[in-house]
Amino acid sequence: MAGPSGVSDIEVAILRAHREEWSRIVATVTRRFGSLDVAEEATGEAFAIAVERWRTDGVPPNPGGWLSRTATRKAIDFIRRENRRDSKHNEAMMMVDDEPAPPVGAIDDDRLRLVFICCHPALSMQARVALTLRMMGGLTTPEIARAFLVTEDTMRRRITRAKAHIRRARIPFDVPSSGALAERVSGVLAVLFLVFNEGYLTTTPATDSVRDDLTAEAIRLTRLVRELLPDDGEVAGLLAMMLLIEARRPARVSASGELVTMDEQDRGAWNRSLIDEGHSLVRQRLAAGTRPGRYQILAAINAVHTSARDAHDTDWTQVLALYDQLMGLDSSAIVALNRAVAVAELAGADAALAIIDPLSETLNDYHAFHATRADLLRRAGRTRLAGEAYDRAIELSGNPAEAALLRRRRDGLTTPSAVEEPSP
């Protein structure tokens, strides 16, 4: 039966199961059979069967359990096909479903173990992040490609190469020891950061504008990492940053489905409990007196924002100083773009435009670049150029709430001024 949106109950159940169960099933099958390829293929087949079977038989009482059992049977079928010359004894061993679970080592959470497994030091950092995002399941290859600002073909080849490298190198799918966790943690944090970002502002038009399932999972996994590495400042910094951003989610999208920028949000709707926890973590890192890393600085920036009573009360001097510190660690174009927003508050839109216009070649396919530039041009009174920038931002934005905000701002531009410089 189709609801008012035209989506059937079965489709809703499939989408919900995909969001809630994909990564758990992939992680479980990977742990049992030791192959990412087998786990991903078997899980995909299980969902494909569910689409057909549930339409005729209805949604089972325990969709996750149904999918897990189906994926396990498909994995066994797959391995049987690939190993027809193996002994029947080995096949029989695969069918034993109640064998004791293998030791879980230092990580007693299948999904977090999968993240650590994918973040093997033998892979490049980009490959670790891309592969883990793919295997975590909530993100498709096009979604990951947008997060990396690369084409879908590029990302598809990157993931394929990573999996092929794992096969060729015979990288074991074991759980790293407690002592080896630290060398994988940077890749794990990068993955969790991107998962959180995708949840906070999704890039796929077919999904909700904000996916709280992804933000909640990223926060949950980061809390687990913190339990494993309680003295790691970057882990604490990432958790603090996530909490302070997540605290603003209730005010992030209006009742009409339009994105609400931070300066226009109802701060009374912010989650004070999350803000207090995030501020506490930031204070702990400041008290530690050690040199902060990227995530700790980003957490501090968000602490400044969430400390202000309103947008006019924001300490932009401190925000800019923190971005200057961040540029010393990460001089990427995206950091420079975000820093320019603080510059605009202190020195005006023209000063900020002078910073971001040289970034146009690097960030030409990044919607946030054009959205930021459009807002600065609007504030500077250059409405024709602002309109062009809004059009480009709308074209690139995959988020319906953000696109709605951009269209309203574009449509609200006043008559273009008589003389404006050409686009860069």
Side-chain angles (χ1 to χ4, degrees), residues 338-411:
N338 293 331
R339 177 182 175 276
V341 175
V343 170
E345 296 297 329
L346 295 169
D350 286 322
L353 285 166
I355 294 173
I356 73 167
D357 278 346
L359 307 176
S360 61
E361 183 174 350
T362 304
L363 298 180
N364 187 50
D365 294 328
Y366 184 40
H367 72 281
F369 166 75
H370 297 283
T372 302
R373 184 167 176 271
D375 282 340
L376 292 172
L377 288 166
R378 173 174 56 86
R379 290 166 59 178
R382 285 180 262 175
T383 54
R384 182 180 60 80
L385 293 178
E388 293 174 359
Y390 278 127
D391 286 341
R392 180 65 173 153
I394 293 167
E395 177 187 352
L396 293 172
S397 176
N399 187 280
E402 183 180 38
L405 168 67
L406 295 170
R407 280 194 293 270
R408 179 172 63 80
R409 288 189 169 175
R410 179 199 60 190
D411 296 343

Side-chain angles (χ1 to χ4, degrees), residues 26-40 102-105 107 110 112-120 123 131-132 135 162-177 184:
V26 169
T28 300
V29 176
T30 299
R31 175 164 58 86
R32 182 168 182 199
F33 297 101
S35 168
L36 286 175
D37 283 329
V38 169
E40 189 176 24
V104 295
I107 306 173
D110 272 352
L112 185 61
R113 292 173 71 224
L114 178 62
V115 175
F116 269 99
I117 288 169
C118 290
C119 291
H120 194 281
L123 300 175
L131 182 60
T132 309
M135 303 309 293
K163 293 164 74 174
H165 182 77
I166 286 176
R167 286 195 299 272
R168 286 196 305 271
R170 298 182 181 277
I171 293 173
F173 290 93
D174 58 353
V175 177
S177 64
R184 300 195 189 183

Side-chain angles (χ1 to χ4, degrees), residues 298-313:
L298 289 171
I301 291 170
N302 280 280
V304 174
H305 285 301
T306 49
S307 297
R309 290 168 298 181
D310 54 48
H312 300 296
D313 188 47

